[in-house]
PDB file of all heavy atoms in Angstrom:
ATOM      1  N   MET E  21      11.178  21.584  -8.181  1.00  0.00           N
ATOM      2  CA  MET E  21       9.785  21.851  -8.512  1.00  0.00           C
ATOM      3  C   MET E  21       9.534  23.340  -8.692  1.00  0.00           C
ATOM      4  O   MET E  21       8.688  23.744  -9.495  1.00  0.00           O
ATOM      5  CB  MET E  21       8.867  21.260  -7.444  1.00  0.00           C
ATOM      6  CG  MET E  21       9.004  19.743  -7.287  1.00  0.00           C
ATOM      7  SD  MET E  21       9.135  18.831  -8.861  1.00  0.00           S
ATOM      8  CE  MET E  21       7.531  19.169  -9.603  1.00  0.00           C
ATOM      9  N   GLY E  22      10.291  24.182  -7.952  1.00  0.00           N
ATOM     10  CA  GLY E  22      10.169  25.619  -8.163  1.00  0.00           C
ATOM     11  C   GLY E  22      10.647  26.023  -9.543  1.00  0.00           C
ATOM     12  O   GLY E  22      10.023  26.843 -10.227  1.00  0.00           O
ATOM     13  N   ALA E  23      11.771  25.444  -9.980  1.00  0.00           N
ATOM     14  CA  ALA E  23      12.313  25.764 -11.302  1.00  0.00           C
ATOM     15  C   ALA E  23      11.383  25.261 -12.409  1.00  0.00           C
ATOM     16  O   ALA E  23      11.166  25.948 -13.411  1.00  0.00           O
ATOM     17  CB  ALA E  23      13.704  25.157 -11.460  1.00  0.00           C
ATOM     18  N   ILE E  24      10.828  24.062 -12.235  1.00  0.00           N
ATOM     19  CA  ILE E  24       9.899  23.521 -13.233  1.00  0.00           C
ATOM     20  C   ILE E  24       8.631  24.375 -13.296  1.00  0.00           C
ATOM     21  O   ILE E  24       8.089  24.639 -14.372  1.00  0.00           O
ATOM     22  CB  ILE E  24       9.576  22.053 -12.923  1.00  0.00           C
ATOM     23  CG1 ILE E  24      10.809  21.177 -13.215  1.00  0.00           C
ATOM     24  CG2 ILE E  24       8.375  21.570 -13.717  1.00  0.00           C
ATOM     25  CD1 ILE E  24      10.644  19.733 -12.828  1.00  0.00           C
ATOM     26  N   ALA E  25       8.166  24.842 -12.131  1.00  0.00           N
ATOM     27  CA  ALA E  25       6.975  25.698 -12.111  1.00  0.00           C
ATOM     28  C   ALA E  25       7.228  26.999 -12.862  1.00  0.00           C
ATOM     29  O   ALA E  25       6.314  27.547 -13.498  1.00  0.00           O
ATOM     30  CB  ALA E  25       6.568  25.983 -10.674  1.00  0.00           C
ATOM     31  N   GLU E  26       8.468  27.520 -12.800  1.00  0.00           N
ATOM     32  CA  GLU E  26       8.784  28.749 -13.529  1.00  0.00           C
ATOM     33  C   GLU E  26       8.830  28.504 -15.027  1.00  0.00           C
ATOM     34  O   GLU E  26       8.292  29.278 -15.818  1.00  0.00           O
ATOM     35  CB  GLU E  26      10.122  29.314 -13.055  1.00  0.00           C
ATOM     36  CG  GLU E  26      10.533  30.568 -13.817  1.00  0.00           C
ATOM     37  CD  GLU E  26      11.763  31.237 -13.242  1.00  0.00           C
ATOM     38  OE1 GLU E  26      12.012  31.089 -12.035  1.00  0.00           O
ATOM     39  OE2 GLU E  26      12.481  31.906 -14.006  1.00  0.00           O
ATOM     40  N   ALA E  27       9.485  27.425 -15.450  1.00  0.00           N
ATOM     41  CA  ALA E  27       9.619  27.148 -16.889  1.00  0.00           C
ATOM     42  C   ALA E  27       8.345  26.568 -17.486  1.00  0.00           C
ATOM     43  O   ALA E  27       8.053  26.770 -18.662  1.00  0.00           O
ATOM     44  CB  ALA E  27      10.781  26.190 -17.124  1.00  0.00           C
ATOM     45  N   ARG E  28       7.605  25.787 -16.695  1.00  0.00           N
ATOM     46  CA  ARG E  28       6.321  25.198 -17.055  1.00  0.00           C
ATOM     47  C   ARG E  28       6.353  24.291 -18.278  1.00  0.00           C
ATOM     48  O   ARG E  28       5.464  24.345 -19.133  1.00  0.00           O
ATOM     49  CB  ARG E  28       5.250  26.276 -17.214  1.00  0.00           C
ATOM     50  CG  ARG E  28       5.065  27.121 -15.961  1.00  0.00           C
ATOM     51  CD  ARG E  28       3.871  28.017 -16.045  1.00  0.00           C
ATOM     52  NE  ARG E  28       2.641  27.254 -15.871  1.00  0.00           N
ATOM     53  CZ  ARG E  28       1.417  27.813 -15.909  1.00  0.00           C
ATOM     54  NH1 ARG E  28       1.272  29.092 -16.152  1.00  0.00           N
ATOM     55  NH2 ARG E  28       0.346  27.066 -15.732  1.00  0.00           N
ATOM     56  N   PRO E  29       7.372  23.444 -18.404  1.00  0.00           N
ATOM     57  CA  PRO E  29       7.282  22.397 -19.425  1.00  0.00           C
ATOM     58  C   PRO E  29       6.417  21.259 -18.894  1.00  0.00           C
ATOM     59  O   PRO E  29       6.071  21.215 -17.709  1.00  0.00           O
ATOM     60  CB  PRO E  29       8.735  21.938 -19.562  1.00  0.00           C
ATOM     61  CG  PRO E  29       9.252  22.075 -18.158  1.00  0.00           C
ATOM     62  CD  PRO E  29       8.575  23.309 -17.584  1.00  0.00           C
ATOM     63  N   THR E  30       6.077  20.332 -19.746  1.00  0.00           N
ATOM     64  CA  THR E  30       5.534  19.056 -19.290  1.00  0.00           C
ATOM     65  C   THR E  30       6.689  18.274 -18.682  1.00  0.00           C
ATOM     66  O   THR E  30       7.791  18.265 -19.215  1.00  0.00           O
ATOM     67  CB  THR E  30       4.921  18.293 -20.463  1.00  0.00           C
ATOM     68  OG1 THR E  30       3.914  19.120 -21.056  1.00  0.00           O
ATOM     69  CG2 THR E  30       4.315  16.975 -20.024  1.00  0.00           C
ATOM     70  N   ALA E  31       6.466  17.628 -17.547  1.00  0.00           N
ATOM     71  CA  ALA E  31       7.547  16.927 -16.855  1.00  0.00           C
ATOM     72  C   ALA E  31       7.163  15.483 -16.588  1.00  0.00           C
ATOM     73  O   ALA E  31       6.015  15.191 -16.235  1.00  0.00           O
ATOM     74  CB  ALA E  31       7.890  17.626 -15.536  1.00  0.00           C
ATOM     75  N   VAL E  32       8.137  14.593 -16.783  1.00  0.00           N
ATOM     76  CA  VAL E  32       7.984  13.184 -16.409  1.00  0.00           C
ATOM     77  C   VAL E  32       9.097  12.882 -15.412  1.00  0.00           C
ATOM     78  O   VAL E  32      10.278  12.990 -15.731  1.00  0.00           O
ATOM     79  CB  VAL E  32       8.064  12.247 -17.619  1.00  0.00           C
ATOM     80  CG1 VAL E  32       7.831  10.801 -17.185  1.00  0.00           C
ATOM     81  CG2 VAL E  32       7.040  12.651 -18.683  1.00  0.00           C
ATOM     82  N   PHE E  33       8.709  12.520 -14.197  1.00  0.00           N
ATOM     83  CA  PHE E  33       9.619  12.389 -13.063  1.00  0.00           C
ATOM     84  C   PHE E  33       9.631  10.932 -12.609  1.00  0.00           C
ATOM     85  O   PHE E  33       8.605  10.398 -12.185  1.00  0.00           O
ATOM     86  CB  PHE E  33       9.128  13.300 -11.934  1.00  0.00           C
ATOM     87  CG  PHE E  33      10.029  13.419 -10.742  1.00  0.00           C
ATOM     88  CD1 PHE E  33      10.755  14.572 -10.520  1.00  0.00           C
ATOM     89  CD2 PHE E  33      10.132  12.387  -9.812  1.00  0.00           C
ATOM     90  CE1 PHE E  33      11.575  14.707  -9.401  1.00  0.00           C
ATOM     91  CE2 PHE E  33      10.951  12.506  -8.701  1.00  0.00           C
ATOM     92  CZ  PHE E  33      11.675  13.669  -8.494  1.00  0.00           C
ATOM     93  N   VAL E  34      10.783  10.294 -12.724  1.00  0.00           N
ATOM     94  CA  VAL E  34      10.927   8.887 -12.340  1.00  0.00           C
ATOM     95  C   VAL E  34      11.502   8.789 -10.935  1.00  0.00           C
ATOM     96  O   VAL E  34      12.478   9.462 -10.601  1.00  0.00           O
ATOM     97  CB  VAL E  34      11.840   8.151 -13.341  1.00  0.00           C
ATOM     98  CG1 VAL E  34      12.446   6.898 -12.722  1.00  0.00           C
ATOM     99  CG2 VAL E  34      11.075   7.787 -14.598  1.00  0.00           C
ATOM    100  N   THR E  35      10.900   7.935 -10.099  1.00  0.00           N
ATOM    101  CA  THR E  35      11.407   7.721  -8.751  1.00  0.00           C
ATOM    102  C   THR E  35      10.950   6.356  -8.242  1.00  0.00           C
ATOM    103  O   THR E  35       9.967   5.791  -8.724  1.00  0.00           O
ATOM    104  CB  THR E  35      10.926   8.822  -7.784  1.00  0.00           C
ATOM    105  OG1 THR E  35      11.470   8.607  -6.476  1.00  0.00           O
ATOM    106  CG2 THR E  35       9.405   8.853  -7.685  1.00  0.00           C
ATOM    107  N   HIS E  36      11.693   5.824  -7.265  1.00  0.00           N
ATOM    108  CA  HIS E  36      11.213   4.626  -6.566  1.00  0.00           C
ATOM    109  C   HIS E  36      10.782   4.983  -5.151  1.00  0.00           C
ATOM    110  O   HIS E  36      10.468   4.096  -4.353  1.00  0.00           O
ATOM    111  CB  HIS E  36      12.313   3.550  -6.532  1.00  0.00           C
ATOM    112  CG  HIS E  36      13.507   3.941  -5.724  1.00  0.00           C
ATOM    113  ND1 HIS E  36      14.550   4.672  -6.232  1.00  0.00           N
ATOM    114  CD2 HIS E  36      13.821   3.699  -4.428  1.00  0.00           C
ATOM    115  CE1 HIS E  36      15.453   4.872  -5.292  1.00  0.00           C
ATOM    116  NE2 HIS E  36      15.028   4.291  -4.188  1.00  0.00           N
ATOM    117  N   VAL E  37      10.764   6.275  -4.822  1.00  0.00           N
ATOM    118  CA  VAL E  37      10.424   6.755  -3.477  1.00  0.00           C
ATOM    119  C   VAL E  37       8.995   7.290  -3.499  1.00  0.00           C
ATOM    120  O   VAL E  37       8.702   8.296  -4.162  1.00  0.00           O
ATOM    121  CB  VAL E  37      11.399   7.855  -3.017  1.00  0.00           C
ATOM    122  CG1 VAL E  37      11.029   8.350  -1.626  1.00  0.00           C
ATOM    123  CG2 VAL E  37      12.834   7.332  -3.038  1.00  0.00           C
ATOM    124  N   ALA E  38       8.107   6.637  -2.763  1.00  0.00           N
ATOM    125  CA  ALA E  38       6.689   7.003  -2.786  1.00  0.00           C
ATOM    126  C   ALA E  38       6.471   8.442  -2.342  1.00  0.00           C
ATOM    127  O   ALA E  38       5.664   9.172  -2.943  1.00  0.00           O
ATOM    128  CB  ALA E  38       5.892   6.052  -1.899  1.00  0.00           C
ATOM    129  N   GLU E  39       7.159   8.865  -1.310  1.00  0.00           N
ATOM    130  CA  GLU E  39       6.969  10.223  -0.797  1.00  0.00           C
ATOM    131  C   GLU E  39       7.284  11.263  -1.870  1.00  0.00           C
ATOM    132  O   GLU E  39       6.565  12.248  -2.027  1.00  0.00           O
ATOM    133  CB  GLU E  39       7.847  10.445   0.432  1.00  0.00           C
ATOM    134  CG  GLU E  39       7.645  11.796   1.094  1.00  0.00           C
ATOM    135  CD  GLU E  39       8.499  11.969   2.338  1.00  0.00           C
ATOM    136  OE1 GLU E  39       9.258  11.034   2.675  1.00  0.00           O
ATOM    137  OE2 GLU E  39       8.407  13.038   2.963  1.00  0.00           O
ATOM    138  N   GLU E  40       8.365  11.047  -2.633  1.00  0.00           N
ATOM    139  CA  GLU E  40       8.707  11.965  -3.718  1.00  0.00           C
ATOM    140  C   GLU E  40       7.611  11.998  -4.770  1.00  0.00           C
ATOM    141  O   GLU E  40       7.194  13.071  -5.217  1.00  0.00           O
ATOM    142  CB  GLU E  40      10.020  11.550  -4.371  1.00  0.00           C
ATOM    143  CG  GLU E  40      11.251  11.960  -3.616  1.00  0.00           C
ATOM    144  CD  GLU E  40      12.529  11.588  -4.365  1.00  0.00           C
ATOM    145  OE1 GLU E  40      12.451  11.049  -5.492  1.00  0.00           O
ATOM    146  OE2 GLU E  40      13.600  11.848  -3.805  1.00  0.00           O
ATOM    147  N   ALA E  41       7.167  10.816  -5.172  1.00  0.00           N
ATOM    148  CA  ALA E  41       6.148  10.742  -6.215  1.00  0.00           C
ATOM    149  C   ALA E  41       4.878  11.478  -5.797  1.00  0.00           C
ATOM    150  O   ALA E  41       4.284  12.230  -6.583  1.00  0.00           O
ATOM    151  CB  ALA E  41       5.835   9.289  -6.542  1.00  0.00           C
ATOM    152  N   LEU E  42       4.453  11.282  -4.563  1.00  0.00           N
ATOM    153  CA  LEU E  42       3.235  11.917  -4.084  1.00  0.00           C
ATOM    154  C   LEU E  42       3.387  13.434  -4.003  1.00  0.00           C
ATOM    155  O   LEU E  42       2.426  14.179  -4.228  1.00  0.00           O
ATOM    156  CB  LEU E  42       2.850  11.351  -2.712  1.00  0.00           C
ATOM    157  CG  LEU E  42       2.380   9.893  -2.712  1.00  0.00           C
ATOM    158  CD1 LEU E  42       2.348   9.340  -1.296  1.00  0.00           C
ATOM    159  CD2 LEU E  42       1.000   9.770  -3.369  1.00  0.00           C
ATOM    160  N   GLN E  43       4.595  13.899  -3.683  1.00  0.00           N
ATOM    161  CA  GLN E  43       4.823  15.333  -3.552  1.00  0.00           C
ATOM    162  C   GLN E  43       4.875  16.051  -4.893  1.00  0.00           C
ATOM    163  O   GLN E  43       4.392  17.174  -5.022  1.00  0.00           O
ATOM    164  CB  GLN E  43       6.123  15.597  -2.790  1.00  0.00           C
ATOM    165  CG  GLN E  43       6.025  15.339  -1.297  1.00  0.00           C
ATOM    166  CD  GLN E  43       7.337  15.630  -0.594  1.00  0.00           C
ATOM    167  OE1 GLN E  43       8.415  15.494  -1.168  1.00  0.00           O
ATOM    168  NE2 GLN E  43       7.254  16.036   0.656  1.00  0.00           N
ATOM    169  N   VAL E  44       5.478  15.431  -5.909  1.00  0.00           N
ATOM    170  CA  VAL E  44       5.726  16.162  -7.155  1.00  0.00           C
ATOM    171  C   VAL E  44       4.604  16.020  -8.170  1.00  0.00           C
ATOM    172  O   VAL E  44       4.461  16.867  -9.056  1.00  0.00           O
ATOM    173  CB  VAL E  44       7.051  15.716  -7.816  1.00  0.00           C
ATOM    174  CG1 VAL E  44       8.202  15.814  -6.840  1.00  0.00           C
ATOM    175  CG2 VAL E  44       6.960  14.303  -8.402  1.00  0.00           C
ATOM    176  N   ALA E  45       3.800  14.973  -8.076  1.00  0.00           N
ATOM    177  CA  ALA E  45       2.949  14.583  -9.208  1.00  0.00           C
ATOM    178  C   ALA E  45       1.645  15.368  -9.276  1.00  0.00           C
ATOM    179  O   ALA E  45       0.981  15.614  -8.267  1.00  0.00           O
ATOM    180  CB  ALA E  45       2.638  13.096  -9.126  1.00  0.00           C
ATOM    181  N   ASP E  46       1.268  15.743 -10.501  1.00  0.00           N
ATOM    182  CA  ASP E  46      -0.119  16.080 -10.808  1.00  0.00           C
ATOM    183  C   ASP E  46      -0.861  14.802 -11.196  1.00  0.00           C
ATOM    184  O   ASP E  46      -2.034  14.633 -10.865  1.00  0.00           O
ATOM    185  CB  ASP E  46      -0.181  17.083 -11.961  1.00  0.00           C
ATOM    186  CG  ASP E  46       0.463  18.407 -11.603  1.00  0.00           C
ATOM    187  OD1 ASP E  46       0.005  19.043 -10.643  1.00  0.00           O
ATOM    188  OD2 ASP E  46       1.429  18.797 -12.287  1.00  0.00           O
ATOM    189  N   ARG E  47      -0.149  13.907 -11.911  1.00  0.00           N
ATOM    190  CA  ARG E  47      -0.647  12.572 -12.228  1.00  0.00           C
ATOM    191  C   ARG E  47       0.405  11.578 -11.780  1.00  0.00           C
ATOM    192  O   ARG E  47       1.606  11.842 -11.884  1.00  0.00           O
ATOM    193  CB  ARG E  47      -0.903  12.406 -13.729  1.00  0.00           C
ATOM    194  CG  ARG E  47      -1.933  13.356 -14.279  1.00  0.00           C
ATOM    195  CD  ARG E  47      -3.327  13.037 -13.799  1.00  0.00           C
ATOM    196  NE  ARG E  47      -3.800  11.723 -14.243  1.00  0.00           N
ATOM    197  CZ  ARG E  47      -4.979  11.212 -13.847  1.00  0.00           C
ATOM    198  NH1 ARG E  47      -5.755  11.862 -13.008  1.00  0.00           N
ATOM    199  NH2 ARG E  47      -5.358  10.032 -14.290  1.00  0.00           N
ATOM    200  N   LEU E  48      -0.031  10.441 -11.289  1.00  0.00           N
ATOM    201  CA  LEU E  48       0.868   9.428 -10.748  1.00  0.00           C
ATOM    202  C   LEU E  48       0.596   8.099 -11.426  1.00  0.00           C
ATOM    203  O   LEU E  48      -0.560   7.650 -11.508  1.00  0.00           O
ATOM    204  CB  LEU E  48       0.651   9.296  -9.232  1.00  0.00           C
ATOM    205  CG  LEU E  48       1.398   8.189  -8.499  1.00  0.00           C
ATOM    206  CD1 LEU E  48       2.904   8.390  -8.608  1.00  0.00           C
ATOM    207  CD2 LEU E  48       0.978   8.153  -7.034  1.00  0.00           C
ATOM    208  N   ALA E  49       1.659   7.468 -11.934  1.00  0.00           N
ATOM    209  CA  ALA E  49       1.541   6.146 -12.555  1.00  0.00           C
ATOM    210  C   ALA E  49       2.381   5.163 -11.754  1.00  0.00           C
ATOM    211  O   ALA E  49       3.581   5.386 -11.553  1.00  0.00           O
ATOM    212  CB  ALA E  49       2.015   6.181 -14.004  1.00  0.00           C
ATOM    213  N   VAL E  50       1.759   4.101 -11.287  1.00  0.00           N
ATOM    214  CA  VAL E  50       2.456   3.061 -10.529  1.00  0.00           C
ATOM    215  C   VAL E  50       2.732   1.896 -11.477  1.00  0.00           C
ATOM    216  O   VAL E  50       1.811   1.374 -12.120  1.00  0.00           O
ATOM    217  CB  VAL E  50       1.621   2.588  -9.322  1.00  0.00           C
ATOM    218  CG1 VAL E  50       2.385   1.535  -8.528  1.00  0.00           C
ATOM    219  CG2 VAL E  50       1.277   3.777  -8.418  1.00  0.00           C
ATOM    220  N   LEU E  51       4.001   1.488 -11.563  1.00  0.00           N
ATOM    221  CA  LEU E  51       4.438   0.473 -12.512  1.00  0.00           C
ATOM    222  C   LEU E  51       5.003  -0.736 -11.787  1.00  0.00           C
ATOM    223  O   LEU E  51       5.540  -0.634 -10.679  1.00  0.00           O
ATOM    224  CB  LEU E  51       5.520   1.043 -13.438  1.00  0.00           C
ATOM    225  CG  LEU E  51       5.224   2.360 -14.153  1.00  0.00           C
ATOM    226  CD1 LEU E  51       6.448   2.829 -14.914  1.00  0.00           C
ATOM    227  CD2 LEU E  51       4.037   2.204 -15.086  1.00  0.00           C
ATOM    228  N   LYS E  52       4.908  -1.890 -12.452  1.00  0.00           N
ATOM    229  CA  LYS E  52       5.527  -3.112 -11.945  1.00  0.00           C
ATOM    230  C   LYS E  52       5.804  -4.027 -13.132  1.00  0.00           C
ATOM    231  O   LYS E  52       4.904  -4.293 -13.932  1.00  0.00           O
ATOM    232  CB  LYS E  52       4.616  -3.824 -10.936  1.00  0.00           C
ATOM    233  CG  LYS E  52       5.243  -5.077 -10.327  1.00  0.00           C
ATOM    234  CD  LYS E  52       4.320  -5.720  -9.291  1.00  0.00           C
ATOM    235  CE  LYS E  52       4.962  -6.970  -8.691  1.00  0.00           C
ATOM    236  NZ  LYS E  52       4.066  -7.616  -7.692  1.00  0.00           N
ATOM    237  N   ALA E  53       7.041  -4.483 -13.238  1.00  0.00           N
ATOM    238  CA  ALA E  53       7.438  -5.452 -14.266  1.00  0.00           C
ATOM    239  C   ALA E  53       6.998  -5.033 -15.667  1.00  0.00           C
ATOM    240  O   ALA E  53       6.504  -5.844 -16.453  1.00  0.00           O
ATOM    241  CB  ALA E  53       6.888  -6.833 -13.929  1.00  0.00           C
ATOM    242  N   GLY E  54       7.169  -3.745 -15.977  1.00  0.00           N
ATOM    243  CA  GLY E  54       6.872  -3.262 -17.310  1.00  0.00           C
ATOM    244  C   GLY E  54       5.421  -2.988 -17.606  1.00  0.00           C
ATOM    245  O   GLY E  54       5.069  -2.653 -18.738  1.00  0.00           O
ATOM    246  N   ARG E  55       4.568  -3.117 -16.605  1.00  0.00           N
ATOM    247  CA  ARG E  55       3.134  -2.896 -16.809  1.00  0.00           C
ATOM    248  C   ARG E  55       2.631  -1.766 -15.911  1.00  0.00           C
ATOM    249  O   ARG E  55       3.142  -1.550 -14.822  1.00  0.00           O
ATOM    250  CB  ARG E  55       2.339  -4.175 -16.520  1.00  0.00           C
ATOM    251  CG  ARG E  55       2.599  -5.275 -17.545  1.00  0.00           C
ATOM    252  CD  ARG E  55       1.635  -6.429 -17.355  1.00  0.00           C
ATOM    253  NE  ARG E  55       1.785  -7.451 -18.382  1.00  0.00           N
ATOM    254  CZ  ARG E  55       1.211  -7.404 -19.571  1.00  0.00           C
ATOM    255  NH1 ARG E  55       0.441  -6.375 -19.887  1.00  0.00           N
ATOM    256  NH2 ARG E  55       1.400  -8.370 -20.445  1.00  0.00           N
ATOM    257  N   LEU E  56       1.616  -1.072 -16.398  1.00  0.00           N
ATOM    258  CA  LEU E  56       0.963  -0.023 -15.625  1.00  0.00           C
ATOM    259  C   LEU E  56      -0.071  -0.650 -14.698  1.00  0.00           C
ATOM    260  O   LEU E  56      -0.989  -1.328 -15.161  1.00  0.00           O
ATOM    261  CB  LEU E  56       0.285   0.968 -16.581  1.00  0.00           C
ATOM    262  CG  LEU E  56      -0.548   2.066 -15.926  1.00  0.00           C
ATOM    263  CD1 LEU E  56       0.331   2.996 -15.096  1.00  0.00           C
ATOM    264  CD2 LEU E  56      -1.312   2.847 -16.987  1.00  0.00           C
ATOM    265  N   LEU E  57       0.085  -0.414 -13.397  1.00  0.00           N
ATOM    266  CA  LEU E  57      -0.893  -0.917 -12.432  1.00  0.00           C
ATOM    267  C   LEU E  57      -2.049   0.061 -12.238  1.00  0.00           C
ATOM    268  O   LEU E  57      -3.202  -0.334 -12.169  1.00  0.00           O
ATOM    269  CB  LEU E  57      -0.225  -1.181 -11.082  1.00  0.00           C
ATOM    270  CG  LEU E  57       0.904  -2.214 -11.067  1.00  0.00           C
ATOM    271  CD1 LEU E  57       1.416  -2.410  -9.641  1.00  0.00           C
ATOM    272  CD2 LEU E  57       0.436  -3.547 -11.645  1.00  0.00           C
ATOM    273  N   GLN E  58      -1.709   1.362 -12.121  1.00  0.00           N
ATOM    274  CA  GLN E  58      -2.752   2.360 -11.928  1.00  0.00           C
ATOM    275  C   GLN E  58      -2.200   3.726 -12.294  1.00  0.00           C
ATOM    276  O   GLN E  58      -1.044   4.044 -11.994  1.00  0.00           O
ATOM    277  CB  GLN E  58      -3.245   2.375 -10.474  1.00  0.00           C
ATOM    278  CG  GLN E  58      -4.436   3.315 -10.233  1.00  0.00           C
ATOM    279  CD  GLN E  58      -5.049   3.140  -8.843  1.00  0.00           C
ATOM    280  OE1 GLN E  58      -4.628   2.286  -8.070  1.00  0.00           O
ATOM    281  NE2 GLN E  58      -6.048   3.939  -8.535  1.00  0.00           N
TER     282      GLN E  58
END
């Protein structure tokens, strides 16, 4: 996240770990079976 903050591209970060998602995200998308839940 420090390196991404320096380069400042748009980032899409895939994870199945909730703690990671909550820590890295400016926006968070929760998915299930190919559909967007929220």
